[in-house]
Each structure stands twice: as structure tokens, then as C-alpha cells.
Amino acid sequence: MTTSETFTGTSTGTSAPLSLNQEFVCVFDQGDDGGPFGPRYHLVHGWRVRGGVDEETLRGALADVVVRHEALRTLIVRRDGSRHQEILPPCPVELEVRDLSGTAPERRDAVVDDLLDEVEASTIESGTLPHLRAVLGRFDDQDSILVIITHHTATDGWSMRLIIRDVAQYYAARREGVPAALPETRPYREYAHWQLASAQEEGARADHDYWREKLRGAEIFTVRTDRPRSAEAGQETSVHRFLIGAETIAKATALARATRGTLFMVLLSAFYLLEHRESGRTDITVPTFTPGRGRERDGFGDMVGSCFNFLPLRTDLAGCRTFRRLVERARTTCLEGYSHDIPTLRIFGQAPELMRPAVEADRAPWVFQVFPFPFVLDGEVIGDLEYTEVRLRLLDQSVGSDVPDGALWTLNLHPTGEMVGSVQYKNALYDHDTIAGLVAEYGRLLTEAVSAPDAPLPGD
């Protein structure tokens, strides 16, 4: 077994047990060259920054974030059959500065996309601390792009928004010579202890009973691959990006309100419909992710770390004659699942056959998420800088951030009312045309369904 424990400092660290999320990641361990400990298992996000950025102040703010959030300086040690966290002292953050001053104003958005794609195609080693680095591209004294890359073993999508919020607050505080106005947060090691303790709380047995019964006989959603799995095949992940129009999303939002549901439930229902049209099955289990941070009173909402839970949402479409009825069933599934949201390994323990189709030679699992991230910066002024997250990315990418297997669908609502989508997929398993075709079919089904939710289900 390989071990992620490269560190440039000299101090010894503090050991702690792994969280159940970290244990889940270790299930897919392929060493430090691939899989979840590989150098492309990362998250990359960018923010357009308006105002004069002082580079040394930014470096200090990035370092402050590493001090505040111990997950960014924690190694997952896997050695001699044992695993644990090793929390190490703070260390400097690499900040690369790019001179983009020769870019014409009308070309800047395209250069931003190219820079994000370049960083996403790069690597960050799981054994090198901190699990964070940044690139600052400067167009002029008042216009910059800040790109942050983290290793996914230390962060999740929720964490990325916390990181930029904290960077902005620390930057402003350093400029003004005052303490940063940030809420208290708990160290990630306490999250691991909380997860372990919660398994013993009253109600844990009811959660286990629910998933054991709900997933009895269930099989995870998989899609037939274009090529069988091969040990010799490459492990690269490609990205197909797309847009769903504002008119369709407005109708989906209206249907969500009418059914006392959420936009996610409507979009998930269209995904169920896509799988039904492709496979003919009515009993469908689509996996998604939840934040996995417990209730607000548990105190982990402001903590950077890997916390997501893998939630299998099983819905039976049999007898659903209209899309409205399908949304109502999906709503019930989601509400039940959310009320029994527990760490992934505990769910798998109650449904040992759930993932069986995912290991077949000619099939792979697909995950669907519409994530409600906190603290999305959209023109917010913090100190003397204005931050806007770059979310409208539509260029396909041959090599991007890795997914462990199959494909990951992600949808994010844009301020324009459009839905920005991406599918990250293993290109050793799927051709681009296959992915693009299924995305187009999903868009068609969604548009037809939300336009006439009480008509017979679309697609026939």
C-alpha cells in the first residue's frame, strides 16, 4: 500500500482517526498515481476579481486559510494495513502570478476559460502539503482572475466556497489591519469523531433499518460503456459542458413550487426519465451527493474538509402516467433520503449488492448532482475588491478533474436563470458523442416534461 506523507516541513504532526468519508475514499485507493489519491483528483474554481490586488497580501490571506482549516494540511496515511490522519503545521501556499496584460478586453473571458482549463488539466499531489495552490492572472491593475486548486481528498464543493470567502475576508482584514470577521469553525478531526459517535446515537438503528429496506434488491444506476474495462486503458477524465435555457428552467422551477418540491427534484425526475427511456426499467436508483455536514447546531457548516455523502435515491416509475406524478414520487424519495442522510459506508453496509452492476466489464455508474453551494460570490464587494465566481463555462475539455469511475453530472443555476451543466466521464469507457447524445436527450425530455407536466410522459 502506498502512503501519502510527503511534507516539506520538519515538525511532527498530530494523529487522528479517519472520518468515514476518508474511509470511503480509501475503498477506491489505487496508490498515489491514480484514483482518489492521484494527482488529478482535484477541484478547480475561478473568481473574477475587480480592484487592485496586492500579491503579498493575497499570499498572506491564502496562508491564513491554511492555518484556519486543518484539512488543508492533513495527510491520509495508508501504511502497513492501517490508516489515519496526520495533521501537520501550517506551510506556505504557492501563488503563481501570470501577466495577462496583453489581452484585449473582448478576449478576456476566453482567456479566463483557457486558464481554468489549463489548471484543471494540471496536477496537485495528494502527498504534498498544503492541499491548496492558486494562480492569479492579471489583465490590468483593476481586473484579475484568481484560480484555486485543491486536492479532493481534503475538500469538497462546499469547501471551495468557504475557501474563497475566507481568503476574501483575510485579505480585507490584512489590508485594514483588523481581525478577520469570520465565524468560528471546528477542526476536521472533530468531524471524524462526530461521525463515529453519531453511529451510536439514538436513531442510528432506524437509519440502518430504512436503508436496508429501501435498497433491498436495488441496483445502482449504470450506463453501458462504449468499451469494456481494461487494465491497460488510460484513466483520464474528460468533460462535456452544456447549457439548459432559462425558459426551461423557469418552467421547472414553477413545477417545483407547484409540487412543494425543489428544482433538484424536478431535474432528478427528468434524469429518471432518461434512464427509463434508455433501459426500459422502472425501478431506478440514481446516486447523488449531499453536503454531509449534519445539522446547523453540529457546527461543521464553516469547516473545510471532505464531508459529502453518497445518497442512492430509489424511485419506482411504474404507473407514473404524467411527469407531475413522477416529480411527486421523486419528492417523496428525496425527503425520505434526506431524513436518513448518513455516511456512505453505513449505507453500503445495509445494501451489499447495491453496487454490483458498477463492477461489470461493460457498465459504469453515473452520479447526478445539483448542488446548493453556500456563499456563492456574484459581484460581492469585500474590502476593496469585488469577487464574482466564474460559472459559465461551456468549452469541452479532453483532460480535466478526475472522477473515480463512470460519469458525474453536475448542474448549477446561473444568475441569468440558465442551468450550466457538465458531465465528467472516463474517456477510456465512453466516447464524447455518446455523452453529448445523452445530454441532448436529457435536455429534450426535460423541456417537454416541464412544458406539459400533466400530459402523458414524453419520449415515446
Side-chain angles (χ1 to χ4, degrees):
M1 181 69 68
T2 58
T3 172
S4 287
E5 51 181 344
T6 304
F7 178 57
T8 56
T10 57
S11 301
T12 58
T14 300
S15 295
L18 295 187
S19 70
L20 293 179
N21 302 75
Q22 291 170 323
E23 292 281 9
F24 174 63
V25 168
C26 288
V27 170
F28 304 94
D29 190 354
Q30 300 175 23
D32 287 357
D33 295 327
F37 292 96
R40 286 200 174 91
Y41 188 63
H42 49 46
L43 297 173
V44 176
H45 291 269
W47 293 265
R48 202 68 174 266
V49 183
R50 306 288 183 178
V53 179
D54 182 79
E55 294 168 15
E56 290 310 309
T57 304
L58 179 57
R59 283 191 175 91
L62 289 164
D64 290 338
V65 170
V66 174
V67 173
R68 173 173 165 85
H69 297 293
E70 69 176 30
L72 298 172
R73 47 188 169 86
T74 295
L75 298 171
I76 300 177
V77 178
R78 305 110 61 210
R79 182 177 53 211
D80 301 329
S82 64
R83 299 189 289 261
H84 64 274
Q85 296 185 64
E86 189 81 5
I87 303 116
L88 290 153
C91 47
V93 177
E94 176 188 343
L95 172 64
E96 178 187 355
V97 180
R98 300 274 189 96
D99 182 2
L100 306 176
S101 59
T103 307
E106 65 272 15
R107 283 277 306 150
R108 291 181 180 183
D109 288 347
V111 170
V112 165
D113 286 346
D114 289 342
L115 180 58
L116 283 164
D117 286 355
E118 178 189 337
V119 175
E120 197 168 322
S122 69
T123 61
I124 181 169
E125 302 292 334
S126 63
T128 300
L129 295 181
H131 298 300
L132 165 70
R133 75 167 190 268
V135 178
L136 178 69
R138 307 191 72 132
F139 292 111
D140 58 40
D141 290 342
Q142 296 297 312
D143 187 7
S144 303
I145 171 67
L146 176 62
V147 182
I148 290 177
I149 177 173
T150 65
H151 202 276
H152 203 352
T153 54
T155 60
D156 52 20
W158 187 286
S159 299
M160 296 299 284
R161 274 71 184 189
L162 293 174
I163 288 172
I164 190 60
R165 180 202 67 179
D166 292 0
V167 166
Q169 291 290 346
Y170 278 125
Y171 181 94
R174 281 176 169 266
R175 295 282 283 178
E176 298 168 11
V178 298
L182 286 168
E184 292 187 7
T185 187
R186 299 178 67 178
Y188 188 78
R189 74 188 86 176
E190 291 186 9
Y191 178 75
H193 289 297
W194 169 78
Q195 278 194 321
L196 296 172
S198 67
Q200 309 303 318
E201 290 180 354
E202 184 178 354
R205 177 173 295 181
D207 291 332
H208 292 177
D209 290 346
Y210 169 79
W211 289 114
R212 186 169 56 253
E213 292 304 314
K214 182 67 176 180
L215 298 177
R216 191 182 302 277
E219 294 185 344
I220 205 71
F221 169 51
T222 59
V223 173
R224 188 170 301 280
T225 60
D226 293 315
R227 288 168 293 281
R229 298 177 187 275
S230 168
E232 292 77 30
Q235 293 298 312
E236 290 83 8
T237 295
S238 297
V239 187
H240 174 61
R241 297 189 173 98
F242 59 97
L243 199 64
I244 301 175
E247 182 178 354
T248 294
I249 298 305
K251 292 177 180 178
T253 302
L255 180 59
R257 288 196 298 266
T259 55
R260 297 181 297 116
T262 65
L263 181 57
F264 169 75
M265 295 171 186
V266 175
L267 298 173
L268 172 66
S269 297
F271 201 71
Y272 282 133
L273 191 55
L274 176 68
E275 160 61 1
H276 172 60
R277 297 304 179 194
E278 291 298 312
S279 69
R281 298 174 59 120
T282 57
D283 182 1
I284 303 172
T285 304
V286 171
T288 192
F289 292 117
T290 67
R293 292 167 181 266
R295 297 153 294 191
E296 185 175 350
R297 65 181 174 84
D298 294 316
F300 297 110
D302 289 291
M303 176 198 70
V304 166
S306 177
C307 303
F308 62 86
N309 286 339
F310 181 90
L311 203 68
L313 299 174
R314 184 184 192 182
T315 298
D316 188 356
L317 279 62
C320 280
R321 299 187 179 278
T322 68
F323 190 66
R324 186 185 301 274
R325 179 57 179 148
L326 175 52
V327 172
E328 291 169 349
R329 287 195 186 179
R331 177 182 181 274
T332 299
T333 294
C334 290
L335 292 178
E336 289 179 355
Y338 298 157
S339 68
H340 296 283
D341 186 13
I342 58 176
T344 308
L345 288 180
R346 290 170 59 192
I347 293 178
F348 284 178
Q350 305 307 314
E353 299 300 315
L354 176 67
M355 299 301 293
R356 184 191 59 77
V359 299
E360 294 180 9
D362 61 347
R363 303 196 71 84
W366 285 33
V367 181
F368 183 83
Q369 63 175 357
V370 184
F371 227 81
F373 295 121
F375 316 118
V376 175
L377 299 180
D378 184 31
E380 275 75 8
V381 176
I382 302 173
D384 55 1
L385 298 179
E386 177 187 291
Y387 301 81
T388 299
E389 183 172 355
V390 180
R391 286 186 278 164
L392 189 60
R393 299 177 62 193
L394 297 178
L395 296 179
D396 288 351
Q397 193 168 347
S398 59
V399 178
S401 298
D402 272 353
V403 292
D405 193 17
L408 171 63
W409 288 55
T410 303
L411 300 180
N412 284 307
L413 187 62
H414 194 265
T416 60
E418 299 166 300
M419 188 68 70
V420 182
S422 68
V423 180
Q424 298 163 257
Y425 62 96
K426 287 295 186 185
N427 56 32
L429 300 178
Y430 294 104
D431 293 327
H432 173 269
D433 288 350
T434 298
I435 302 298
L438 287 170
V439 165
E441 178 67 1
Y442 173 78
R444 183 186 71 82
L445 290 172
L446 174 66
T447 298
E448 290 186 17
V450 298
S451 297
D454 296 310
L457 283 174
D460 292 329

